[in-house]
Amino acid sequence: MGADATIVLGIESSCDETAVALVTADRRILAERIASQDAEHAPYGGVVPEIAARAHAERLAPMIEAVLGDAGMALDEVDAIAATAGPGLIGGVMVGLVSGKALAMAADKPLIAVNHLEGHALSPRLADEALGFPYLLLLVSGGHCQILAVEGVGEYRRLATTIDDALGEAFDKTAKILALGYPGGPAVEKLAREGDAKAVPLPRPLKGSKEPHFSFAGLKSAVLRAHESGEHKPEDIAASFQQAAVDCLTDRLEKALREAGPFPALVVAGGVAANQTVRGALEALAARHDMRFTAPPLSLCTDNGAMIAWAGCERLALEPEFAGDPLDFKARPRWPLDPQAEAVRGAGVKA
Ligand code: KG4
Ligand code: ZN
């Protein structure tokens, strides 16, 4: 593909990031902007849905204009509009999806209603041209902790999920317990660098278990008890928590590989994939199994518009005659990637 590659505008608004990007089918990010709402939510120690929806509504239209301006493009030069249609906080999803519909209608271009999780799942292919199907995906974000066999665009087999908290949520709660502020993941990672990962005995829930899933609620409670005991330094708690989490990830991935493998590649995506200790452990695991390892750059790990635009590009590549999703496509608070997978108690609803 040359300069005339398909161009998709992507809109993301399912949680606390308002993000817009222009991406081409030949993997160029022409422009992107992202506005975090950390400052708005920080006083509450977590995302407040009403505040999020209002912030998306205020920011989205000027941001779309700015991204088109950055790329020096007019709306009618875009080939399709991709917007997150779920899962996520429904108010925010509706704001983004309605904006996408309005643009699609105004420019007479196809609307692509994107599953936010599919955005995460395919984003590694935006960064890594050589990554083909199938791959074993660890999707670790604030609302999800899943292992998926990615067999193609739209073809996902869930091998494991969390029965309670997502791992990003556990990072955020650990940060709250240690009074590190919000968002918690990066703060815990930073503090953990100064601590001893062996100092605090913490559980590895479901490690070695016959069931395939994850569980992090017990780990979070153990972090709280360790903190309240007053016997441990915060940096040791952070490091020990992070190590316990990583041990759970590798144990469950080993199990998935034994039962559904082999796979040519191991891929990590979602906000927690920004964590260097997590990346390091997965890279080592991939090497042990002779698998290729792909982790998208940090900017593609946490919520962003480029991954939504890219999911749109993938959909168009799969169905070149695709006329677009219906303009009355409804926002979906829940939208599993693998509809065949049985519902698991407590599995996160946030994306
Ligand atoms: O994918 P994402 O941006 O939003 C969701 O769709 O959930 O993931 C956000 C989550 C948060 O829980 C955040 O604490 C976590 O990813 N996270 C991290 C790191 N950076 C973000 N967790 C651990 N280490 C990090 N460096
Ligand atoms: Zn996400």
Side-chain angles (χ1 to χ4, degrees), residues 145-146 160-167 170 203-207 209 211-221 241 244-245 247-249 251-252 344-347:
C145 188
Q146 304 190 347
T161 188
T162 176
I163 61 168
D164 41 54
D165 296 348
L167 183 52
R204 272 78 173 145
L206 294 185
K207 185 171 175 197
S209 155
E211 82 162 296
H213 300 307
F214 293 99
S215 166
F216 292 107
L219 176 57
K220 170 195 69 191
S221 310
F241 159 77
D247 288 350
C248 294
L249 293 180
D251 178 71
R252 307 285 77 193
V344 170
R345 168 179 57 92

Side-chain angles (χ1 to χ4, degrees), residues 47-64:
V47 179
V48 182
E50 294 75 16
I51 295 178
R54 190 168 350 117
H56 290 305
E58 282 166 5
R59 289 172 190 172
L60 206 44
M63 195 182 274
I64 292 165

Side-chain angles (χ1 to χ4, degrees), residues 15-27:
C15 192
D16 58 346
E17 245 85 45
T18 315
V20 177
L22 280 165
V23 173
T24 66
D26 57 2
R27 294 182 166 79

Side-chain angles (χ1 to χ4, degrees), residues 12 14 116-117 120 141-142 270-271 301-303 307 351:
E12 160 58 31
S14 67
H116 177 86
L117 300 175
H120 280 303
S141 70
C301 285
T302 48
D303 289 348
M307 71 180 191

Side-chain angles (χ1 to χ4, degrees), residues 15-348:
C15 192
D16 58 346
E17 245 85 45
T18 315
V20 177
L22 280 165
V23 173
T24 66
D26 57 2
R27 294 182 166 79
R28 286 173 293 136
I29 299 176
L30 299 179
E32 69 178 320
R33 292 216 182 192
I34 180 157
S36 145
Q37 302 171 7
D38 289 349
E40 281 95 329
H41 300 292
Y44 307 94
V47 179
V48 182
E50 294 75 16
I51 295 178
R54 190 168 350 117
H56 290 305
E58 282 166 5
R59 289 172 190 172
L60 206 44
M63 195 182 274
I64 292 165
E65 211 165 304
V67 164
L68 286 167
D70 291 345
M73 285 181 64
L75 182 61
D76 62 7
E77 294 173 79
V78 171
D79 294 293
I81 315 292
T84 298
L89 300 172
I90 194 68
V93 173
M94 284 169 69
V95 169
L97 184 57
V98 150
S99 307
K101 288 174 179 176
L103 293 177
M105 214 184 294
D108 195 21
K109 304 286 172 171
L111 167 79
I112 306 172
V114 173
N115 182 320
H116 177 86
L117 300 175
E118 180 163 48
H120 280 303
L122 297 176
S123 64
R125 282 168 49 82
L126 169 57
D128 182 356
E129 191 173 352
L131 177 65
F133 300 113
Y135 49 86
L136 186 68
L137 172 73
L138 174 68
L139 176 54
V140 269
S141 70
H144 290 270
C145 188
Q146 304 190 347
I147 300 173
L148 295 148
V150 180
E151 281 149 4
V153 178
E155 292 176 53
Y156 311 97
R157 200 152 45 86
R158 196 195 72 195
L159 304 174
T161 188
T162 176
I163 61 168
D164 41 54
D165 296 348
L167 183 52
E169 203 177 343
F171 266 94
D172 293 334
K173 285 177 179 167
T174 295
K176 210 167 177 175
I177 291 167
L178 299 178
L180 303 179
Y182 174 85
V188 171
E189 176 173 22
K190 188 159 171 254
L191 185 64
R193 273 189 219 120
E194 293 151 34
D196 174 1
K198 294 200 183 74
V200 186
L202 291 173
R204 272 78 173 145
L206 294 185
K207 185 171 175 197
S209 155
K210 283 209 278 298
E211 82 162 296
H213 300 307
F214 293 99
S215 166
F216 292 107
L219 176 57
K220 170 195 69 191
S221 310
V223 165
L224 181 61
R225 282 195 301 275
H227 175 67
E228 286 177 346
S229 75
E231 288 167 19
H232 301 287
K233 291 189 281 190
E235 57 269 37
D236 289 345
I237 296 178
S240 301
F241 159 77
Q242 188 170 267
Q243 189 56 49
V246 165
D247 288 350
C248 294
L249 293 180
T250 50
D251 178 71
R252 307 285 77 193
L253 279 167
E254 292 279 6
K255 181 176 170 64
L257 278 170
R258 277 196 304 277
E259 284 166 20
F263 288 86
L266 174 65
V267 173
V268 63
V272 183
N275 185 288
Q276 294 302 327
T277 304
V278 169
R279 284 182 181 232
L282 298 179
E283 196 167 3
L285 184 145
R288 283 200 298 282
H289 288 272
D290 217 7
M291 298 163 88
R292 175 192 179 83
F293 176 67
T294 296
L298 301 189
S299 58
L300 273 180
C301 285
T302 48
D303 289 348
N304 64 88
M307 71 180 191
I308 303 304
W310 175 251
C313 290
E314 293 263 33
R315 178 91 169 265
L316 288 176
L318 194 69
E319 299 173 60
E321 302 306 314
F322 181 58
D325 284 309
L327 288 176
D328 62 354
F329 196 102
K330 298 269 180 307
R332 301 177 179 176
R334 297 188 85 106
W335 187 358
L337 270 185
D338 176 0
Q340 308 295 323
E342 57 167 325
V344 170
R345 168 179 57 92

